[in-house]
Amino acid sequence: SLSDAAQKFEYPVPKSLAGNLQPLIECAAYSAFGAIATLSKARKWKVCHILLIGITDISSKLYELLQDHGYDVRLSNPNPDARIPQDLLVPWAEAVCYRCDILVPCTDNFPSLGPGLAKKLRCHSIVSVADNILPTSRDEREETHVAMADNGIFDFGDGLCDLGQIAKFYHES
């Protein structure tokens, strides 16, 4: 397909998608849902407890998909005005330490996941749809992986990582 490097995009996208972000949002949500469903099945969790951190277009669609398939989903958002039912709300200050099976950062407001923050996490796995939650420094990223492993987190799917002038890539470990 033809590509269009429009100013609002940092990477080429098919021309047919340049004016309509809805298919991209749906694709991202379904991709994250697939990762979560596969991880849940592989771990043999009967009831999978998930925390979506940040309300975005992608996390809203992901929430619908997870709810439709019977997952136990909670939400946290840095914006106190967000309309979240109280029985589903996890306060922003408690989100990082919230006990769940899968933590899903969905916003750039989620702090960078360095070794110090990795030690505070109380989840079993992370599937990120936010950009750059891991440090870009190779040494600090390795320290973060070690801290997660020490904390019992062995499944980690990161979103898009920006390496500046070099490239952008999807990371999973």
Side-chain angles (χ1 to χ4, degrees):
S1 65
L2 296 174
S3 292
D4 181 21
Q7 285 193 2
K8 66 180 178 177
F9 296 106
E10 296 178 2
Y11 47 89
V13 297
K15 264 190 170 174
S16 61
L17 296 178
N20 181 7
L21 292 178
Q22 193 58 37
L24 295 174
I25 291 166
E26 297 234 352
C27 286
Y30 274 95
S31 178
F33 175 75
I36 290 168
T38 301
L39 180 58
S40 178
K41 187 176 182 179
R43 287 291 195 110
K44 297 179 182 171
W45 287 319
K46 292 180 181 175
V47 177
C48 185
H49 304 283
I50 300 168
L51 175 61
L52 301 179
I53 300 181
I55 299 187
T56 63
D57 291 339
I58 295 171
S59 66
S60 296
K61 179 63 180 174
L62 178 57
Y63 173 78
E64 290 174 17
L65 290 168
L66 292 166
Q67 282 286 312
D68 289 348
H69 287 84
Y71 289 88
D72 176 33
V73 185
R74 299 288 180 261
L75 302 162
S76 186
N77 196 53
N79 178 0
D81 297 332
R83 295 182 186 168
I84 301 173
Q86 289 299 309
D87 60 326
L88 300 178
L89 177 66
V90 173
W92 182 255
E94 298 171 20
V96 171
C97 300
Y98 184 75
R99 289 197 180 276
C100 59
D101 295 315
I102 304 175
L103 184 74
V104 185
C106 302
T107 178
D108 293 337
N109 289 342
F110 188 80
S112 178
L113 184 58
L117 183 60
K119 292 175 184 177
K120 295 179 183 178
L121 297 173
R122 299 292 170 252
C123 60
H124 298 291
S125 306
I126 300 171
V127 174
S128 174
V129 295
D131 291 355
N132 293 326
I133 71 164
L134 276 179
T136 53
S137 156
R138 182 178 177 190
D139 291 340
E140 193 175 358
R141 192 168 49 244
E142 185 62 31
E143 288 176 36
T144 302
H145 282 137
V146 170
M148 285 192 293
D150 289 346
N151 204 5
I153 302 169
F154 296 102
D155 301 303
F156 178 83
D158 191 9
L160 189 64
C161 294
D162 189 349
L163 297 180
Q165 298 286 339
I166 302 170
K168 290 189 178 193
F169 69 98
Y170 285 90
H171 176 270
E172 184 176 353
S173 57

